[in-house]
Short mmCIF file of all heavy atoms in Angstrom, two decimals:
data_model
loop_
_atom_site.label_atom_id
_atom_site.label_comp_id
_atom_site.label_asym_id
_atom_site.label_seq_id
_atom_site.Cartn_x
_atom_site.Cartn_y
_atom_site.Cartn_z
N ILE A 879 16.07 -22.52 5.62
CA ILE A 879 14.71 -22.14 5.97
C ILE A 879 13.97 -21.89 4.65
O ILE A 879 14.46 -21.17 3.80
CB ILE A 879 14.69 -20.86 6.86
CG1 ILE A 879 15.27 -21.19 8.23
CG2 ILE A 879 13.27 -20.30 6.99
CD1 ILE A 879 15.29 -20.05 9.21
N GLN A 880 12.82 -22.55 4.49
CA GLN A 880 12.12 -22.49 3.23
C GLN A 880 11.52 -21.11 2.97
O GLN A 880 11.56 -20.59 1.86
CB GLN A 880 11.04 -23.60 3.24
CG GLN A 880 9.90 -23.40 2.25
CD GLN A 880 10.35 -23.44 0.83
OE1 GLN A 880 11.48 -23.76 0.51
NE2 GLN A 880 9.45 -23.09 -0.08
N GLN A 881 10.92 -20.49 3.99
CA GLN A 881 10.22 -19.20 3.79
C GLN A 881 11.24 -18.05 3.71
O GLN A 881 12.25 -18.08 4.39
CB GLN A 881 9.23 -18.93 4.93
CG GLN A 881 7.98 -19.78 4.89
CD GLN A 881 8.21 -21.21 5.28
OE1 GLN A 881 9.25 -21.55 5.85
NE2 GLN A 881 7.27 -22.09 4.99
N VAL A 882 10.90 -17.08 2.86
CA VAL A 882 11.77 -15.92 2.68
C VAL A 882 11.10 -14.72 3.32
O VAL A 882 9.90 -14.48 3.10
CB VAL A 882 11.96 -15.65 1.16
CG1 VAL A 882 12.56 -14.28 0.92
CG2 VAL A 882 12.86 -16.72 0.56
N PHE A 883 11.84 -13.97 4.15
CA PHE A 883 11.23 -12.83 4.85
C PHE A 883 11.85 -11.51 4.43
O PHE A 883 11.55 -10.49 5.00
CB PHE A 883 11.36 -13.01 6.38
CG PHE A 883 10.39 -14.03 6.89
CD1 PHE A 883 10.68 -15.38 6.86
CD2 PHE A 883 9.16 -13.64 7.40
CE1 PHE A 883 9.76 -16.33 7.33
CE2 PHE A 883 8.25 -14.56 7.87
CZ PHE A 883 8.55 -15.90 7.82
N ASN A 884 12.73 -11.53 3.43
CA ASN A 884 13.34 -10.26 3.02
C ASN A 884 13.15 -10.02 1.52
O ASN A 884 14.05 -9.61 0.81
CB ASN A 884 14.86 -10.29 3.37
CG ASN A 884 15.56 -11.47 2.73
OD1 ASN A 884 14.92 -12.41 2.28
ND2 ASN A 884 16.87 -11.43 2.72
N TYR A 885 11.93 -10.32 1.07
CA TYR A 885 11.63 -10.08 -0.35
C TYR A 885 11.39 -8.58 -0.53
O TYR A 885 10.65 -7.97 0.24
CB TYR A 885 10.35 -10.85 -0.72
CG TYR A 885 10.25 -11.13 -2.19
CD1 TYR A 885 10.84 -12.25 -2.75
CD2 TYR A 885 9.56 -10.25 -3.04
CE1 TYR A 885 10.74 -12.52 -4.11
CE2 TYR A 885 9.48 -10.50 -4.40
CZ TYR A 885 10.07 -11.64 -4.91
OH TYR A 885 10.00 -11.88 -6.26
N PRO A 886 12.04 -7.93 -1.52
CA PRO A 886 11.91 -6.47 -1.64
C PRO A 886 10.47 -6.07 -2.03
O PRO A 886 9.84 -6.73 -2.85
CB PRO A 886 12.89 -6.10 -2.76
CG PRO A 886 13.17 -7.37 -3.46
CD PRO A 886 12.94 -8.49 -2.52
N GLN A 887 9.98 -5.02 -1.39
CA GLN A 887 8.59 -4.61 -1.64
C GLN A 887 8.50 -3.09 -1.54
O GLN A 887 9.21 -2.47 -0.76
CB GLN A 887 7.72 -5.30 -0.59
CG GLN A 887 6.39 -4.66 -0.31
CD GLN A 887 5.54 -5.49 0.63
OE1 GLN A 887 5.27 -6.64 0.34
NE2 GLN A 887 5.15 -4.95 1.76
N ILE A 888 7.60 -2.50 -2.32
CA ILE A 888 7.34 -1.05 -2.22
C ILE A 888 5.97 -0.87 -1.58
O ILE A 888 4.96 -1.43 -2.08
CB ILE A 888 7.38 -0.41 -3.64
CG1 ILE A 888 8.81 -0.52 -4.18
CG2 ILE A 888 6.93 1.04 -3.57
CD1 ILE A 888 8.93 -0.09 -5.63
N ASN A 889 5.93 -0.14 -0.47
CA ASN A 889 4.67 0.09 0.23
C ASN A 889 4.14 1.48 -0.15
O ASN A 889 4.86 2.46 -0.05
CB ASN A 889 4.87 0.04 1.74
CG ASN A 889 5.60 -1.22 2.16
OD1 ASN A 889 5.23 -2.31 1.78
ND2 ASN A 889 6.67 -1.03 2.92
N VAL A 890 2.89 1.53 -0.58
CA VAL A 890 2.25 2.81 -0.91
C VAL A 890 1.19 3.06 0.18
O VAL A 890 0.20 2.34 0.26
CB VAL A 890 1.59 2.77 -2.29
CG1 VAL A 890 0.87 4.07 -2.58
CG2 VAL A 890 2.65 2.49 -3.36
N ASP A 891 1.44 4.06 1.03
CA ASP A 891 0.52 4.32 2.14
C ASP A 891 -0.28 5.59 1.80
O ASP A 891 0.24 6.71 1.84
CB ASP A 891 1.36 4.53 3.41
CG ASP A 891 0.46 4.55 4.64
OD1 ASP A 891 -0.72 4.21 4.50
OD2 ASP A 891 0.95 4.92 5.73
N VAL A 892 -1.55 5.41 1.47
CA VAL A 892 -2.39 6.54 1.02
C VAL A 892 -2.93 7.32 2.22
O VAL A 892 -3.40 6.72 3.19
CB VAL A 892 -3.55 6.02 0.15
CG1 VAL A 892 -4.45 7.16 -0.30
CG2 VAL A 892 -3.02 5.26 -1.06
N ASP A 893 -2.84 8.66 2.15
CA ASP A 893 -3.47 9.51 3.17
C ASP A 893 -4.95 9.63 2.75
O ASP A 893 -5.29 10.41 1.85
CB ASP A 893 -2.77 10.87 3.17
CG ASP A 893 -3.30 11.76 4.30
OD1 ASP A 893 -4.47 11.56 4.69
OD2 ASP A 893 -2.56 12.63 4.77
N ARG A 894 -5.82 8.91 3.41
CA ARG A 894 -7.21 8.81 2.94
C ARG A 894 -7.96 10.15 3.07
O ARG A 894 -8.79 10.47 2.23
CB ARG A 894 -7.95 7.75 3.73
CG ARG A 894 -7.35 6.38 3.48
CD ARG A 894 -8.09 5.29 4.17
NE ARG A 894 -7.40 4.02 3.94
CZ ARG A 894 -8.00 2.84 3.93
NH1 ARG A 894 -9.27 2.76 4.13
NH2 ARG A 894 -7.31 1.76 3.71
N THR A 895 -7.64 10.91 4.12
CA THR A 895 -8.33 12.20 4.31
C THR A 895 -8.02 13.11 3.15
O THR A 895 -8.90 13.74 2.54
CB THR A 895 -7.85 12.86 5.63
OG1 THR A 895 -7.61 11.83 6.58
CG2 THR A 895 -8.88 13.81 6.16
N LEU A 896 -6.73 13.16 2.79
CA LEU A 896 -6.29 14.01 1.68
C LEU A 896 -6.94 13.56 0.38
O LEU A 896 -7.42 14.39 -0.42
CB LEU A 896 -4.75 13.91 1.59
CG LEU A 896 -4.03 15.01 0.86
CD1 LEU A 896 -4.24 16.34 1.57
CD2 LEU A 896 -2.55 14.69 0.78
N ALA A 897 -6.99 12.24 0.18
CA ALA A 897 -7.58 11.70 -1.05
C ALA A 897 -9.06 12.05 -1.14
O ALA A 897 -9.57 12.42 -2.20
CB ALA A 897 -7.36 10.20 -1.09
N ALA A 898 -9.74 11.95 0.03
CA ALA A 898 -11.19 12.22 0.02
C ALA A 898 -11.47 13.68 -0.33
O ALA A 898 -12.49 13.98 -0.98
CB ALA A 898 -11.77 11.89 1.39
N GLU A 899 -10.58 14.60 0.06
CA GLU A 899 -10.78 16.03 -0.22
C GLU A 899 -10.79 16.31 -1.73
O GLU A 899 -11.45 17.22 -2.19
CB GLU A 899 -9.74 16.88 0.49
CG GLU A 899 -10.05 17.04 1.96
CD GLU A 899 -9.00 17.84 2.70
OE1 GLU A 899 -8.13 18.41 2.03
OE2 GLU A 899 -9.04 17.86 3.93
N VAL A 900 -10.00 15.52 -2.47
CA VAL A 900 -9.97 15.74 -3.92
C VAL A 900 -10.87 14.74 -4.65
O VAL A 900 -10.73 14.55 -5.87
CB VAL A 900 -8.52 15.69 -4.48
CG1 VAL A 900 -7.70 16.82 -3.95
CG2 VAL A 900 -7.87 14.37 -4.13
N GLY A 901 -11.73 14.06 -3.88
CA GLY A 901 -12.71 13.16 -4.50
C GLY A 901 -12.19 11.82 -4.94
O GLY A 901 -12.70 11.22 -5.88
N LEU A 902 -11.11 11.35 -4.29
CA LEU A 902 -10.56 10.03 -4.65
C LEU A 902 -10.64 9.10 -3.43
O LEU A 902 -10.59 9.53 -2.30
CB LEU A 902 -9.10 10.15 -5.11
CG LEU A 902 -8.88 10.89 -6.42
CD1 LEU A 902 -7.39 11.11 -6.64
CD2 LEU A 902 -9.45 10.12 -7.60
N THR A 903 -10.71 7.77 -3.72
CA THR A 903 -10.75 6.79 -2.63
C THR A 903 -9.55 5.85 -2.77
O THR A 903 -8.86 5.85 -3.79
CB THR A 903 -12.03 5.95 -2.69
OG1 THR A 903 -12.02 5.24 -3.93
CG2 THR A 903 -13.29 6.81 -2.60
N GLN A 904 -9.38 5.04 -1.74
CA GLN A 904 -8.32 4.04 -1.76
C GLN A 904 -8.49 3.13 -2.97
O GLN A 904 -7.51 2.71 -3.60
CB GLN A 904 -8.44 3.23 -0.46
CG GLN A 904 -7.43 2.09 -0.34
CD GLN A 904 -6.12 2.54 0.23
OE1 GLN A 904 -5.96 3.66 0.67
NE2 GLN A 904 -5.13 1.66 0.24
N ARG A 905 -9.73 2.83 -3.31
CA ARG A 905 -10.01 1.92 -4.43
C ARG A 905 -9.54 2.51 -5.75
O ARG A 905 -8.97 1.79 -6.60
CB ARG A 905 -11.51 1.65 -4.47
CG ARG A 905 -11.84 0.60 -5.50
CD ARG A 905 -13.32 0.34 -5.54
NE ARG A 905 -13.61 -0.54 -6.65
CZ ARG A 905 -14.83 -0.84 -7.03
NH1 ARG A 905 -15.84 -0.33 -6.39
NH2 ARG A 905 -15.03 -1.63 -8.06
N ASP A 906 -9.68 3.83 -5.92
CA ASP A 906 -9.22 4.45 -7.16
C ASP A 906 -7.70 4.34 -7.28
O ASP A 906 -7.16 4.06 -8.36
CB ASP A 906 -9.62 5.94 -7.18
CG ASP A 906 -11.13 6.12 -7.15
OD1 ASP A 906 -11.82 5.28 -7.76
OD2 ASP A 906 -11.61 7.09 -6.55
N VAL A 907 -7.03 4.54 -6.14
CA VAL A 907 -5.55 4.45 -6.15
C VAL A 907 -5.14 3.02 -6.53
O VAL A 907 -4.29 2.81 -7.40
CB VAL A 907 -4.98 4.80 -4.76
CG1 VAL A 907 -3.47 4.62 -4.74
CG2 VAL A 907 -5.34 6.23 -4.40
#
């Protein structure tokens, strides 16, 4: 099978509400 579906990856899931309280956005992260 040509396509690979188990490439290792690190997911960073930002809590947007928390970030907004300290004046940061997803874009800054």
Side-chain angles (χ1 to χ4, degrees):
I879 292 181
Q880 159 64 8
Q881 286 74 14
V882 166
F883 284 83
N884 57 346
Y885 203 87
Q887 157 174 303
I888 295 172
N889 310 309
V890 177
D891 191 11
V892 178
D893 186 333
R894 296 183 184 208
T895 325
L896 201 62
E899 282 178 10
V900 294
L902 292 171
T903 62
Q904 177 86 7
R905 186 180 173 188
D906 297 326
V907 176

